[in-house]
Amino acid sequence: MKMKYKNNSILKLALVVVVVALFGACTNDLEQLPIDPNQFTAEIVYQTEEGYDEVMAKVYGGLALTGQEGPAGNGDVGGIDEGTSSFIRNLWNAQVLTTDEAICSWGDFGISQLNNLQYSAANPFIEGLYYRIYHEIAMANEFLRQSTDAKLDSRGQGNLKEKIKVLRAEARFIRAFSYYIAMDVFGNVPFITEDMGLGIYNPDQIMRADLFEWLETEINDFESDLMDANTAPYGRVDKGAAWFLKAKMFLNAEVYTGTSRWADVITETEKVNQAYSFYSTSYKHLFLADNNNKSGSASGFVFSIPLDGDRMQTYGSTTFICFSATGGDIPTASIGLNGGWGGNRTRPETVGRFDSNDMRGMVEPRVRHTYYERDADSPKYDTLKTGPGGIFWDTIEEREISWWIDGTDENQVFTPRDDQTVSKGGSLNIINPGKFTDGFSVMKFRNTYQDGSAPSNMAFVTTDYPMFRLAESYLMYAEATIKSGSGGDINKAVGYVNQLRERAYGNTSGNITQTNLNDQFILDERGRELLWECTRRSDLIRHGQYTSTDYLWQWKGGVENGAAVSVNKRLFAIPAKDIGANPKLKQNPGY
């Protein structure tokens, strides 16, 4: 059994009830965040050092959990089913389901909109992401209000100032990360900081480029107060996470501001690259239930979201990712689950990016029954045979194969008579988006340990979600190097990419040279390495392939063979209910 948060009070489950009243209501309540007077008051909560830790646990916990009880029953965000209100679940829907990486068979309102890039201002899953973002911002703002030097002095807690300075920097990071997501998916958004007070009012809308500028200044300001890179307790952020967040901002700077920042991508990623070590043993290990055992430099995790099937139960996060990709005739116990939801799988264009030797995407056949017989009168012997360990599950089963021996020599080698495969309800192409077995399932995230065993709880997933990985920093460096034309070392960029590919191929057979390193290769390699890690939508937009005819995938635009969609779909709509409630907000074009 893996243990998490041991001797680390900042990450234990919060005892503090912090609620946001608006969700399902209107934006002008974005900062109405009282601590429940029936449970605690602010002065009671912050009387002790433990109280600050517990509130920060709630700030961190909001990225993984959905409420006070788990998995459902007292959610943070009203007006939406608690299980679907998860930060990671809704970020995944926005960044993955709207691309060639996934399609969902469920009939819930709003799912087909995401599948087809035809989402509206009333899409409940996009609303869920919006309100979850502002829930995180509101909690971080409240912590920052309650932890100033003046507040500490008034409570006689001056001795805590050095510790609280670090916690404040972490709260500012979580707020900055949340605003970064808001900037990326919504563009021009409501803007609130701890200095703007509590109560009911209409927040101003900040323009995307101005928010980018604020974020850059903000991160530079709190960065020095964070712990040194690769020194934070597992699950907390440090300077490495700040560098990584800036690199992601700079990577898409031209989209956000109209001006590229490739040299700054190189600067920030190289700081990350030098501070963390690459885990070369196995790609698959990074997405298993004991992936926290390779914490720090051994994993290349720069910012991860811890999960635990016993103590952190949610229908979001990696529980959603694993269960939603499982169903049909996939043997769920082999991936540590007690069932499957039969929802998400991938599209053929994604499968086609992987070659047969790339273990990141090798098609993994289901358990195969091979049929043996010695002669017409002999008993028949069934033997189980399994395929190689990749991330796709194609639900294809081998037809029974007849083998025979001429004569009676029991040591004679068996030879095949027939070796064909037939479809068992699964197909590469997606003819019917509502049919789970149309399309390959993705078994990248699993609820099993490296030794193949599973956690005791197979109803909720224990696998941590790696939000920032060193591998992405390598790929950002490589992309910035070829885009900038100067500042980066092309040989180093090739070396970084080849580290990823050597792990993926198990040898140097997939290595590239400088001539292979171009814009499309980087986009494709990101699609291979970072599949289902919430980067694809932003990547396609940056490369001009999200809405245009330059790249089509099945059911893009609601057409089986794919079609262009309006450029307005590069941003999601601000929820219609907030537009109606706050006259200061202007809706994104096309909604």
Side-chain angles (χ1 to χ4, degrees):
M1 167 68 80
K2 75 175 182 177
M3 301 297 294
K4 295 183 179 179
Y5 312 141
K6 187 175 180 180
N7 299 322
N8 182 14
S9 60
I10 187 64
L11 284 173
K12 67 184 179 180
L13 294 180
L15 302 177
V16 182
V17 177
V18 185
V19 295
V20 175
L22 81 111
F23 300 117
C26 56
T27 305
N28 59 355
D29 284 333
L30 282 173
E31 282 300 319
Q32 187 176 349
L33 197 152
I35 295 176
D36 188 339
N38 295 319
Q39 301 290 330
F40 299 99
T41 66
E43 288 307 310
I44 292 175
V45 169
Y46 292 100
Q47 275 186 351
T48 65
E49 179 178 353
E50 184 180 38
Y52 292 93
D53 289 343
E54 289 171 345
V55 175
M56 272 303 297
K58 179 63 180 178
V59 176
Y60 273 105
L63 298 176
L65 302 174
T66 55
Q68 308 305 316
E69 296 178 4
N74 189 5
D76 293 324
V77 178
I80 186 174
D81 173 77
E82 183 179 339
T84 63
S85 71
S86 158
F87 184 94
I88 292 174
R89 180 169 180 167
N90 285 312
L91 179 63
W92 191 95
N93 283 331
Q95 290 281 38
V96 177
L97 194 54
T98 62
T99 75
D100 60 343
E101 286 194 336
I103 194 166
C104 186
S105 63
W106 296 335
D108 309 57
F109 172 71
I111 290 292
S112 64
Q113 290 184 2
L114 299 176
N115 283 339
N116 300 335
L117 275 75
Q118 295 173 333
Y119 28 83
S120 69
N123 187 286
F125 305 100
I126 300 305
E127 287 183 348
L129 176 59
Y130 180 88
Y131 291 129
R132 181 57 68 175
I133 286 170
Y134 279 98
H135 178 262
E136 286 298 296
I137 290 170
M139 288 195 298
N141 281 343
E142 178 65 8
F143 181 85
L144 293 171
R145 284 192 197 94
Q146 296 293 341
S147 59
T148 62
D149 283 353
K151 288 278 189 179
L152 292 170
D153 288 337
S154 71
R155 297 174 184 136
Q157 298 170 334
N159 61 308
L160 295 180
K161 286 182 180 179
E162 285 304 309
K163 171 182 177 172
I164 298 303
K165 181 173 68 172
V166 177
L167 295 186
R168 284 176 60 84
E170 293 177 45
R172 292 170 75 182
F173 174 90
I174 298 297
R175 181 177 64 178
F177 174 68
S178 300
Y179 268 128
Y180 159 74
I181 299 297
M183 174 180 68
D184 183 70
V185 301
F186 295 110
N188 310 321
V189 296
F191 183 68
I192 315 99
T193 69
E194 76 277 17
D195 299 323
M196 295 179 181
L198 288 167
I200 297 176
Y201 63 95
N202 291 324
D204 290 323
Q205 186 173 27
I206 189 170
M207 297 297 99
R208 202 181 201 187
D210 295 330
L211 181 53
F212 181 98
E213 182 179 355
W214 179 84
L215 279 169
E216 183 178 359
T217 301
E218 171 75 354
I219 299 169
N220 285 336
D221 190 57
F222 68 67
E223 178 186 311
S224 61
D225 291 336
L226 291 169
M227 288 174 276
D228 289 341
N230 202 18
T231 66
Y234 184 76
R236 290 174 63 180
V237 296
D238 53 29
K239 289 183 176 70
W243 301 335
F244 202 111
L245 180 56
K246 285 192 289 183
K248 287 179 73 73
M249 287 173 48
F250 296 143
L251 184 73
N252 290 292
E254 191 167 3
V255 174
Y256 303 147
T257 70
T259 302
S260 62
R261 298 282 295 273
W262 300 116
D264 293 314
V265 175
I266 292 169
T267 298
E268 299 301 331
T269 53
E270 265 303 85
K271 289 190 287 188
V272 173
N273 298 344
Q274 298 307 311
Y276 296 83
S277 299
F278 183 72
Y279 180 73
S280 60
T281 304
S282 170
Y283 180 80
K284 185 177 181 178
H285 290 172
L286 301 176
F287 309 99
L288 298 178
D290 47 0
N291 59 354
N292 70 318
N293 288 344
K294 295 173 294 304
S295 59
S297 63
S299 68
F301 288 2
V302 180
F303 174 31
S304 58
I305 311 299
L307 279 306
D308 188 294
D310 288 323
R311 293 181 292 168
M312 300 180 68
Q313 294 183 356
T314 171
Y315 293 121
S317 301
T318 49
T319 293
F320 159 74
I321 295 174
C322 289
F323 274 90
S324 69
T326 307
D329 59 358
I330 297 172
T332 56
S334 68
I335 48 178
L337 308 179
N338 66 358
W341 300 348
N344 292 313
R345 63 269 197 231
T346 195
R347 310 194 201 208
E349 294 78 13
T350 291
V351 177
R353 275 197 297 276
F354 296 87
D355 67 42
S356 60
N357 295 314
D358 189 336
M359 290 183 286
R360 293 172 298 188
M362 187 181 293
V363 172
E364 180 171 22
R366 58 195 296 277
V367 173
R368 296 174 170 182
H369 295 273
T370 304
Y371 176 72
Y372 293 91
E373 61 181 1
R374 294 188 63 185
D375 57 45
D377 298 322
S378 70
K380 299 175 181 179
Y381 302 94
D382 287 340
T383 302
L384 296 179
K385 186 170 66 176
T386 58
I391 63 172
F392 296 129
W393 195 285
D394 63 2
T395 69
I396 290 176
E397 183 179 31
E398 280 191 357
R399 179 178 299 164
E400 291 184 346
I401 305 171
S402 294
W403 305 68
W404 72 98
I405 296 179
D406 295 324
T408 59
D409 184 358
E410 293 183 355
N411 296 317
Q412 188 169 342
V413 176
F414 289 163
T415 56
R417 188 176 68 192
D418 184 24
D419 189 7
Q420 297 178 344
T421 59
V422 293
S423 173
K424 292 289 290 183
S427 63
L428 176 63
N429 289 311
I430 299 165
I431 307 303
N432 179 2
K435 184 180 178 183
F436 175 67
T437 50
D438 276 16
F440 287 4
S441 289
V442 175
M443 299 290 103
K444 177 171 178 172
F445 291 87
R446 300 176 183 229
N447 192 38
T448 54
Y449 300 126
Q450 286 186 37
D451 65 6
S453 65
S456 58
N457 193 324
M458 297 172 69
F460 297 96
V461 172
T462 295
T463 305
D464 296 346
Y465 187 84
M467 190 66 72
F468 293 168
R469 284 201 296 124
L470 179 62
E472 185 180 2
S473 184
Y474 283 178
L475 290 168
M476 287 193 288
Y477 179 92
E479 182 172 347
T481 297
I482 62 176
K483 286 285 187 67
S484 67
S486 62
D489 182 332
I490 191 65
N491 292 320
K492 182 180 288 186
V494 170
Y496 285 151
V497 171
N498 281 338
Q499 284 191 64
L500 306 184
R501 293 178 68 81
E502 286 172 20
R503 178 174 65 188
Y505 285 75
N507 52 46
T508 61
S509 63
N511 283 18
I512 65 165
T513 65
Q514 181 177 336
T515 58
N516 304 117
L517 198 60
N518 56 51
D519 210 37
Q520 186 61 46
F521 173 86
I522 286 293
L523 177 61
D524 290 343
E525 189 68 9
R526 286 182 64 90
R528 289 182 282 263
E529 178 69 28
L530 304 174
L531 178 67
W532 281 29
E533 294 185 56
C534 296
T535 67
R536 187 62 173 171
R537 171 191 155 274
S538 302
D539 290 346
L540 290 170
I541 290 172
R542 183 173 69 257
H543 288 264
Q545 298 183 20
Y546 186 63
T547 59
S548 70
T549 58
D550 290 351
Y551 176 46
L552 300 177
W553 58 85
Q554 278 193 341
W555 299 104
K556 176 179 179 178
V559 176
E560 181 176 351
N561 292 325
V565 300
S566 169
V567 294
N568 295 327
K569 296 304 181 184
R570 295 175 186 172
L571 288 175
F572 295 105
I574 295 173
K577 61 187 68 172
D578 277 8
I579 293 293
N582 184 356
K584 293 183 178 180
L585 299 182
K586 182 179 179 181
Q587 185 58 278
N588 288 325
Y591 298 99

